[in-house]
Amino acid sequence: TNGVLSNSSSRLTRWQSNHSQNKLCQGRKGFIFTLDILVGIVVLFIFLGTSLFLVTRASEVSLSGQQILETGSDITTLLDREQVLASLDETLITTKIANLLPPNYGMLLRIEGNFSSGNGLLEAGEEIPAATSIYSGRRISLTPEGKYLKVTYLMWVKQQ
């Protein structure tokens, strides 16, 4: 009986040992699986963050471009406040632009509205050069007669 008891206790010990090793391996497999998921999520967020950064950066205007846009906005605002735009006189608008515009910039104004001359479209300023970056902005103006004008200003840096 002692040999049978010893034999069964040795089987029980082996079974308990194998059972605890199986539990340990299963725990490790779960831990490794969890780490695998976490690494995948981190890689996904890095990819999404990089993509978002590059997309938003591509749509930004550079500092020099922003300065050009501010200059165009300022000149258009001055022309509007002095009622030069409301005159709808191409020669007067072109002369005022030439007086206000820094020498290294070019500018063209497109004025659209409900007026008879030019079928509601007036362009004043310089010709747009062929191979250069163009920056544009818009402004809505109201004439003393109560007509709305959509003013689009196009700005560029002149080539030396």
Side-chain angles (χ1 to χ4, degrees):
T1 61
N2 195 10
V4 174
L5 186 59
S6 156
N7 202 7
S8 8
S9 92
S10 127
R11 275 192 239 151
L12 180 63
T13 307
R14 269 187 275 144
W15 181 81
Q16 287 174 341
S17 172
N18 286 341
H19 185 67
S20 65
Q21 284 179 353
N22 285 342
K23 279 187 171 182
L24 187 61
C25 286
Q26 286 176 349
R28 284 185 184 164
K29 286 180 186 175
F31 180 72
I32 297 295
F33 185 68
T34 304
L35 280 179
D36 190 34
I37 289 174
L38 288 175
V39 168
I41 289 172
V42 167
V43 168
L44 177 70
F45 277 115
I46 289 173
F47 177 75
L48 288 175
T50 303
S51 298
L52 183 65
F53 171 75
L54 293 175
V55 166
T56 56
R57 188 150 188 236
S59 64
E60 290 179 357
V61 176
S62 66
L63 185 60
S64 62
Q66 188 65 35
Q67 182 181 5
I68 293 170
L69 286 172
E70 292 292 330
T71 302
S73 177
D74 291 346
I75 290 173
T76 307
T77 301
L78 277 170
L79 294 175
D80 186 26
R81 287 191 181 160
E82 293 177 359
Q83 297 296 318
V84 175
L85 298 176
S87 73
L88 299 175
D89 182 1
E90 181 183 346
T91 308
L92 176 64
I93 296 171
T94 302
T95 304
K96 288 287 189 175
I97 289 173
N99 291 338
L100 295 171
L101 193 64
N104 59 330
Y105 289 160
M107 183 176 193
L108 175 70
L109 284 179
R110 285 192 180 132
I111 303 169
E112 300 173 58
N114 190 14
F115 50 90
S116 58
S117 63
N119 290 330
L121 178 65
L122 173 74
E123 288 190 350
E126 301 176 31
E127 290 269 333
I128 299 175
T132 188
S133 296
I134 305 292
Y135 300 92
S136 68
R138 288 197 175 115
R139 178 180 177 83
I140 302 297
S141 177
L142 184 64
T143 64
E145 295 84 31
K147 293 182 181 180
Y148 286 101
L149 302 175
K150 181 172 92 171
V151 181
T152 304
Y153 55 92
L154 301 136
M155 298 282 299
W156 61 90
V157 176
K158 290 182 181 178
Q159 300 298 323
Q160 299 298 333

